[in-house]
Amino acid sequence: MISFVLSLVALVIGYFFYGRLVERVFGPDDRVTPAVAKADGLDYIVLPSWKIFMIQFLNIAGTGPIFGAIMGAKFGPVAYLWIVFGCIFAGATHDYLSGMLSMRHDGAGLPELIGQYLGKTTKNIMLVFTVLLLIIVGAVFVYSPAEILHSIGGDTLMWIIIIFSYYVIATMLPIDKIIGKIYPLFAFSLLFMAAALMVWLFLHWPTVPELWNTFYNLGAATHPDTWKDNIFPALFITIACGAISGFHATQSPLMARCVKSEKMGRPIFYGAMITEGIVALIWATVASWFFYGTPAPGYTLIEQATAGFHTSAPAVVNLVCNEWLGVVGAILAMLGVVAAPITSGDTAFRSARLIVAEWLKMNQRPIPKRLLICIPLFAISIAMLVWQIENPDGFNTIWQYFGWSNQALSVFTLWTITVYLVRNNKCFWLTLIPALFMTTVCSTYFFVSKQFLGLGNDGYPYGAVCLGVAIVWFVLWYRKNNNLKQ
């Protein structure tokens, strides 16, 4: 538990000190924001800052900082290091700067920003990639809450139909009608769940592995039932939303279109990510007790554990909320866990609609034009969902591809921000180092993982080559850019 406390303190300190440094580098000012300049009553609407924070937090949370942290905890307490350092120096920086960059470009979506700084070809590739990722998010974030609701009552298919019906309504309506009204309440539920679990941890002070007791074993995951993958790069793909997530860069523009002043950016974008890191930290500690702690580890209580780790994450959530928080607490906690993925799913579809509309230059005020974009998006997502249901390991498979795609998108976002910082004579090291690190993580995972090329340990040299290529590419581009300025 000492590792947990130190990590918690580090995240809070990171917000106040490193967050302020990142803010100073960007330099927010008093210029008119897109929410005011382009107000349309649909997507560009000024909202109160506290409400934007709650919506942003709920949008980026989903099941990522919960399921990802539970899965990542099987790698041992080294997960704390990734959550803390990843969140402060990569994730929160990524979220803040992508949101502020969108604000500086009239609320532009991520593919438009990528195109402006990485070129038209990259933009077209990432346009397709981003929309597909958002559709996958919608499919993943339907299935997991439907399964959790099924454990409470009703049929899984019934809940899927209800959730998709909600998606259609929420994606089509102005952002202040449903999202602006009920999302803060759901965000409160999710925060209550995290706070209640943190209080439980402090009251019971369970014995869980500490960093200094297991630091000698950083080569592979430490739990006998977990993946056989090495910590690098598997840990950095598994814990995404609690550390850094490319999906967040698709959500930040939604809120960038609702912010009245640029100076509200740090508490909204950087702060929401730090809050998500705290949620991930809490669930990683809870899972550590389940897998390793004393007394009475709870892993044996999960019936599906022998079927593979991924399938047990929802069971951990369900069991913890019911066993630890009492009836009222369990209801509110489960509401937060269910609401988070559902709300992330509908804003994923909303982002996809706006990205496609921006590419087609299609006015979204007329409802038929919104439907024209939404119907194909929903159709593809439903097809993925059907495939998940019909295949015994469908959810796990899609989740793994989602994890890699999610982190790959963060790579392009970080490189986009790095180019922006270089062109504007700002401290580009803030994002260059995370960009190089995540480039190495994603490329290495592509070579070594069974989900892709499956080269195993033979794939590591190729990851190193990709890192070298990225460094050489940046140095050459940087010199060329400086020569052009001169």
Side-chain angles (χ1 to χ4, degrees):
M1 281 289 290
I2 297 177
S3 296
F4 166 70
V5 174
L6 292 176
S7 299
L8 187 65
V9 171
L11 284 174
V12 175
I13 292 175
Y15 170 77
F16 286 105
F17 289 93
Y18 196 76
R20 190 175 297 277
L21 171 64
V22 174
E23 181 184 46
R24 287 179 178 175
V25 168
F26 182 82
D29 54 36
D30 296 321
R31 72 184 67 193
V32 178
T33 62
V36 177
K38 300 179 67 175
D40 62 0
L42 178 63
D43 297 305
Y44 293 82
I45 300 176
V46 173
L47 294 175
S49 57
W50 69 268
K51 186 173 288 189
I52 300 174
F53 168 84
M54 298 293 267
I55 296 172
Q56 173 72 3
F57 168 67
L58 197 63
N59 285 354
I60 65 176
T63 50
I66 301 171
F67 285 7
I70 292 173
M71 291 185 274
K74 282 209 168 181
F75 288 97
V78 67
Y80 288 148
L81 294 178
W82 173 229
I83 292 173
V84 171
F85 290 107
C87 191
I88 294 173
F89 298 107
T93 302
H94 165 281
D95 290 11
Y96 172 76
L97 291 175
S98 62
M100 299 304 291
L101 199 58
S102 173
M103 215 180 298
R104 285 280 172 94
H105 291 78
D106 297 325
L110 182 60
E112 287 294 323
L113 296 175
I114 290 174
Q116 181 150 350
Y117 292 98
L118 299 185
K120 187 175 180 180
T121 301
T122 308
K123 170 191 171 182
N124 293 334
I125 294 172
M126 295 312 298
L127 176 70
V128 177
F129 185 86
T130 302
V131 172
L132 283 176
L133 173 63
L134 291 170
I135 292 172
I136 292 174
V137 169
V140 168
F141 287 171
V142 168
Y143 188 80
S144 56
E147 279 292 298
I148 293 174
L149 289 169
H150 169 62
S151 68
I152 300 174
D155 183 69
T156 301
L157 182 60
M158 176 194 76
W159 287 115
I160 287 174
I161 293 172
I162 292 173
I163 294 170
F164 251 109
S165 299
Y166 164 76
Y167 277 0
V168 174
I169 297 171
T171 304
M172 296 286 293
L173 288 177
I175 198 166
D176 62 333
K177 298 304 180 186
I178 292 182
I179 294 175
K181 294 185 185 302
I182 67 172
Y183 275 36
L185 297 176
F186 288 147
F188 170 79
S189 297
L190 186 59
L191 290 172
F192 171 85
M193 172 206 65
L197 292 176
M198 183 165 63
V199 169
W200 190 98
L201 288 170
F202 281 123
L203 288 177
H204 292 78
W205 201 261
T207 301
V208 294
E210 302 286 3
L211 268 169
W212 42 89
N213 293 333
T214 56
F215 208 78
Y216 64 89
N217 187 17
L218 294 183
T222 54
H223 195 281
D225 293 325
T226 194
W227 305 312
K228 302 304 180 183
D229 296 335
N230 291 336
I231 281 179
F232 186 88
L235 172 65
F236 306 95
I237 298 294
T238 305
I239 301 180
C241 292
I244 181 172
S245 167
F247 170 69
H248 297 183
T250 68
Q251 300 304 290
S252 293
L254 291 181
M255 293 300 97
R257 299 173 179 125
C258 302
V259 178
K260 186 177 181 179
S261 169
E262 283 193 352
K263 295 179 181 178
M264 296 161 55
R266 182 167 68 97
I268 290 172
F269 299 117
Y270 200 97
M273 183 60 211
I274 291 293
T275 305
E276 184 174 6
I278 292 174
V279 172
L281 200 65
I282 292 169
W283 274 103
T285 306
V286 169
S288 292
W289 174 81
F290 253 72
F291 303 142
Y292 310 105
T294 56
Y299 186 75
T300 55
L301 300 176
I302 302 172
E303 187 176 331
Q304 301 146 311
T306 54
F309 173 62
H310 292 283
T311 56
S312 67
V316 172
V317 174
N318 191 31
L319 187 59
V320 165
C321 288
N322 284 282
E323 291 285 331
W324 292 8
L325 303 182
V327 177
V328 177
I331 292 173
L332 288 174
M334 290 300 293
L335 178 62
V337 174
V338 168
I342 292 176
T343 52
S344 292
D346 80 56
T347 51
F349 283 119
R350 190 179 193 92
S351 296
R353 171 177 67 80
L354 291 169
I355 287 171
V356 173
E358 195 171 39
W359 174 57
L360 296 175
K361 302 189 185 306
M362 183 182 293
N363 183 9
Q364 290 295 279
R365 288 295 299 170
I367 292 179
K369 290 188 177 181
R370 278 179 253 168
L371 282 172
L372 188 63
I373 296 175
C374 285
I375 290 175
L377 297 177
F378 284 123
I380 298 171
S381 186
I382 289 172
M384 289 183 180
L385 194 57
V386 170
W387 184 85
Q388 282 185 78
I389 296 172
E390 291 180 348
N391 289 269
D393 203 41
F395 174 77
N396 296 338
T397 302
I398 287 186
W399 182 275
Q400 291 168 38
Y401 283 111
F402 159 69
W404 180 84
S405 302
N406 190 21
Q407 299 301 61
L409 187 60
S410 74
V411 171
F412 284 91
T413 305
L414 288 168
W415 281 115
T416 297
I417 299 169
T418 300
V419 172
Y420 163 81
L421 293 175
V422 170
R423 289 182 179 177
N424 288 272
N425 297 316
K426 298 178 184 292
C427 181
F428 58 85
W429 292 99
L430 292 178
T431 52
L432 174 61
I433 294 175
L436 290 171
F437 179 76
M438 292 308 299
T439 298
T440 309
V441 167
C442 291
S443 59
T444 303
Y445 190 83
F446 182 82
F447 289 114
V448 305
S449 173
K450 294 179 181 178
Q451 279 71 52
F452 294 97
L453 296 186
L455 299 179
N457 291 336
D458 292 337
Y460 282 94
Y462 295 103
V465 169
C466 290
L467 171 62
V469 169
I471 293 174
V472 170
W473 169 83
F474 177 77
V475 170
L476 293 176
W477 174 84
Y478 183 75
R479 290 177 176 175
K480 180 180 178 181
N481 182 75
N482 284 346
N483 290 334
L484 290 175
K485 286 182 180 180
Q486 295 173 0

